[in-house]
Structures are given as structure tokens and as C-alpha cells.
Amino acid sequence: MLTKEQIAGQIKHCLTGTNFTNLGKRYEGKVRDNYIQEGRRILITTDRLSAFDRVIALIPFKGQVLNALSRFWFENTKDIVGNHVLEYPDPNVVVGEECAPLAVEMVVRGYITGSTTTSAWYNYQKGVRSFCGNFLPEGLKKDQKFDHPILTPTTKAGHGGHDESLAPEELIKRGHITKEDWDKLAEISLKLFARGQEVAAKQGIILVDTKYEFGKNKKGEIVLIDEIHTPDSSRFWKTATYQEKFEKGEDQDNINKEYLRLWLSEKGFLGDGEIPAIPDDVKVETARRYIEAYELITGQTFEGTEGDPLPRIEANLKKYIS
Ligand SMILES: Nc1ncnc2c1ncn2[C@@H]1O[C@H](COP(=O)(O)OP(=O)(O)O)[C@@H](O)[C@H]1O
Ligand SMILES: [Mg+2]
């Protein structure tokens, strides 16, 4: 594991964004800078952290962690479903096959939890018992495991929009997805989640919930795009402390975005208004958790590349520059 000093030293080199003018059509997502070329998409994972649908902070090494962890999972799930990956030319970059995205985000939840207004726990507490077409029994406690993982799909909102949770029947009726594609995505998503839970469990980690995005490639096949089982798209808890904390009603040991979300909410920030200034030690601790997630899940040491990432990325992308 990198030392706290190494992590702190990288704060000045955080990758805010890129602005290549000769790399293709640029699209700036919340976390990734996308450059679209004929048949492919260059995804540069920056160090931006998004929460509450806004960019909140820059976290050192975050882009590299996400890219490396996605790589681990893409390689460990390709027997279940193909993915968009063509090449990893840089620690922050993946080149993917350009796909036609399916307009649904596949959220899978193994436990009832969360703090935001879209979370299953928030809704359950408010009395909701039918959640995106799933019936939730009486008497569930926060962080309790569901009998079976549930699918709670959302629409894919465009730039700046908020996703909307809907039952599958409604997604189909409103034309977001066909019945045939839904059935395939449902089956694949549950298989991916089962694999994720199985691999994580061997490492003493619980994959709590996650979100997948799919697209169709040139051949019309459904493939996994974007990212998979990262601390941005997923919640992870530690198995060793789960039961005790669950029984005591305490917050779980999480290794995901929840740390910064909780810190922000303690400062009174719930998504609207000015973002509180985030001190360096909070950024370092956030980074430490991202790195810890990588190391615990993969069982490998995180080889973070230190220094200014921009010139390195430019050099590594040379063959894609026209
Ligand atoms: N292979 C692909 N083909 C087409 N679109 C993709 C592919 N991989 C990822 N995307 C899209 O690229 C964007 C990645 O950038 P990101 O920062 O995650 O954006 P967002 O703010 O929309 O989440 C997402 O909109 C994602 O759906
Ligand atoms: Mg995204």
C-alpha cells in the first residue's frame, strides 16, 4: 500500500480533466473524459469524485484505481458476458469498442441499505414495500441481507439529469428497453452479481450492491460497457465486522464512496448548495479506501504511478492521435 505521504504528495498531480483536441469527439462525463473515434471510445478515468450527481472533489490515484479494478473484473467476468475492452494503453485509460448504450442502468442489490433518497433503505423506512417491482417483506432492518438479490433498474438520464427508478414493466412500456433485451440484461446482471459476490467473499469482502451498463456492439451483441464492480459503482463492506455491526445497528465498515458522502452529510451537505471545502486529510483517507478496496478485492498490491499524469497519458495515446 502506498504511504499516506505518497498519497498526499499526489494531490497536486490529481487528474482534473483533459482537453485533447486531436483525439476524437470529446464528451465529458462526471468521472470520465470520453473521446469518440470511428468504432471506438477512449475512456480516460480522471480523479474526479462524483456524489449526489455532482463532481465533489479530486481524489489522488482514484482514476487509476477505478481503471485497474474494472480491468480485474472485466477479465474475471468475460465468460459470463463480453465487454467493450480493446486495450489499456495507460493506467488511467481504457479503449473500448464504441457501442450503442442500452438506456437502462441495471442496479442489483443484495442488502437493504443506503442513505440517499433513492436508496432502498430510505424508501423502505418511509413505508415503501413495492420497490421497482420487488415486494419487500415487513420487519427488515437496515443493512439486512435480502433472501435473493433484487434488480432495481433506473433510466439513464442525460447530462445533468437524475436517473429514475422504475419497475421493468414500466421501462418496457415507456420504450426505454424491449422485453427481449430486458430479459437478457436481467439474467446477465444477476450472474455478474453472483460472480462478484463469490470472488469478493473469498477476500473477506461483501459486494453489497452495484450498477451495470450495457451496450450493443457492431455485431448487435449485448456487451458490458463503462466500468464494473468499482467503489464508484458499488458498495463493499468487510465480512469480518458485518454481523456485529448489523446487530448493533452501527454503520458498516465500507470501502467505497460512502466515506466521503458521510463526511459531507456531517457538514450538512446533502447535495444542494455550496460544496464544503474538503481538507487534504479527508482526501487522503478517501484515496486510501479506494486503494484498500483494490488491494483487498484483487489480493494484489496497488502499483500507483506517481507524478503528473497528463504528459504520460498523451505519450501513451500517441497512436490514437490524428
Ligand atoms: N463502450 C462504450 N460505448 C458507448 N458508451 C460508453 C461505453 N463505455 C462507456 N460509455 C459511456 O461513457 C460515459 C462514461 O463517462 P462517465 O464519466 O461514467 O459518464 P456519466 O457522467 O454519464 O456517468 C458514460 O455515459 C457511459 O455510459
Ligand atoms: Mg458513469
Side-chain angles (χ1 to χ4, degrees):
M1 171 82 112
L2 295 168
T3 63
K4 283 188 181 171
E5 290 67 33
Q6 281 174 302
I7 298 172
Q10 188 66 14
I11 290 179
K12 61 177 177 293
H13 292 308
C14 275
L15 183 60
T16 315
T18 62
N19 210 344
F20 298 115
T21 51
N22 43 11
L23 199 58
K25 190 172 165 285
R26 185 173 177 278
Y27 161 80
E28 185 177 311
K30 288 185 291 287
V31 173
R32 292 172 187 79
D33 285 356
N34 299 233
Y35 293 88
I36 300 148
Q37 303 186 341
E38 195 52 50
R40 62 190 175 212
R41 177 178 289 235
I42 296 162
L43 289 133
I44 303 176
T45 307
T46 70
D47 292 324
R48 301 191 289 264
L49 183 144
S50 90
F52 311 104
D53 281 332
R54 289 172 70 177
V55 176
I56 300 288
L58 294 169
I59 303 299
F61 296 112
K62 174 174 177 281
Q64 292 185 38
V65 169
L66 291 195
N67 207 42
L69 201 48
S70 269
R71 179 179 189 160
F72 171 84
W73 286 112
F74 276 132
E75 285 164 6
N76 276 282
T77 54
K78 62 184 178 213
D79 58 317
I80 297 173
V81 63
N83 57 61
H84 70 163
V85 175
L86 298 171
E87 197 203 351
Y88 297 94
D90 179 90
N92 285 85
V93 185
V94 63
V95 179
E97 189 181 1
E98 175 67 2
C99 297
L102 292 165
V104 168
E105 302 204 346
M106 297 298 287
V107 180
V108 188
R109 302 171 195 260
Y111 294 73
I112 187 157
T113 188
S115 52
T116 64
T117 54
T118 55
S119 70
W121 175 247
Y122 180 90
N123 283 280
Y124 187 82
Q125 240 184 338
K126 294 231 144 174
V128 172
R129 292 293 177 272
S130 171
F131 193 54
C132 303
N134 301 283
F135 171 73
L136 306 179
E138 288 304 319
L140 291 180
K141 291 198 288 186
K142 184 167 186 283
D143 300 343
Q144 191 164 339
K145 191 177 185 181
F146 290 124
D147 287 341
H148 304 283
I150 62 168
L151 290 165
T152 64
T154 72
T155 59
K156 224 173 126 158
H159 231 118
H162 292 277
D163 302 335
E164 187 186 0
S165 290
L166 287 175
E169 293 68 34
E170 201 59 33
L171 286 168
I172 295 163
K173 207 164 86 191
R174 296 194 198 175
H176 292 285
I177 191 164
T178 64
K179 168 90 171 70
E180 197 191 343
D181 283 345
W182 166 263
D183 288 343
K184 285 185 197 152
L185 293 199
E187 189 191 336
I188 296 166
S189 299
L190 290 173
K191 279 188 187 161
L192 289 174
F193 193 70
R195 174 68 56 81
Q197 286 201 318
E198 183 196 323
V199 172
K202 286 188 189 137
Q203 302 292 125
I205 305 289
I206 298 173
L207 172 62
V208 179
D209 49 37
T210 195
K211 175 215 73 176
Y212 305 111
E213 292 186 34
F214 297 92
K216 283 192 182 170
N217 66 12
K218 269 202 305 287
K219 293 186 209 151
E221 297 159 343
I222 289 177
V223 293
L224 187 59
I225 62 171
D226 205 47
E227 63 178 343
I228 166 169
H229 298 161
T230 69
D232 269 19
S233 67
S234 319
R235 249 190 209 92
F236 299 105
W237 293 336
K238 294 189 185 166
T239 312
T241 46
Y242 169 75
Q243 192 60 28
E244 191 187 337
K245 288 191 177 280
F246 171 64
E247 280 163 17
K248 288 187 179 159
E250 289 173 4
D251 286 339
Q252 293 293 327
D253 279 330
N254 65 73
I255 36 174
N256 46 263
K257 288 207 294 200
E258 203 69 4
Y259 170 74
L260 195 67
R261 271 198 291 245
L262 289 172
W263 186 87
L264 287 163
S265 59
E266 275 161 26
K267 297 278 165 216
F269 181 79
L270 296 168
D272 294 315
E274 205 180 317
I275 300 163
I278 299 165
D280 280 359
D281 61 324
V282 174
K283 290 184 187 175
V284 170
E285 177 56 19
T286 307
R288 209 192 56 72
R289 291 188 187 215
Y290 272 83
I291 295 167
E292 187 185 20
Y294 175 88
E295 297 195 339
L296 289 176
I297 290 164
T298 66
Q300 291 156 27
T301 305
F302 173 67
E303 307 286 354
T305 307
E306 292 170 79
D308 185 1
L310 263 181
R312 188 199 70 220
I313 291 172
E314 186 164 10
N316 285 334
L317 289 180
K318 214 166 194 161
K319 69 172 176 189
Y320 293 104
I321 293 171
S322 54

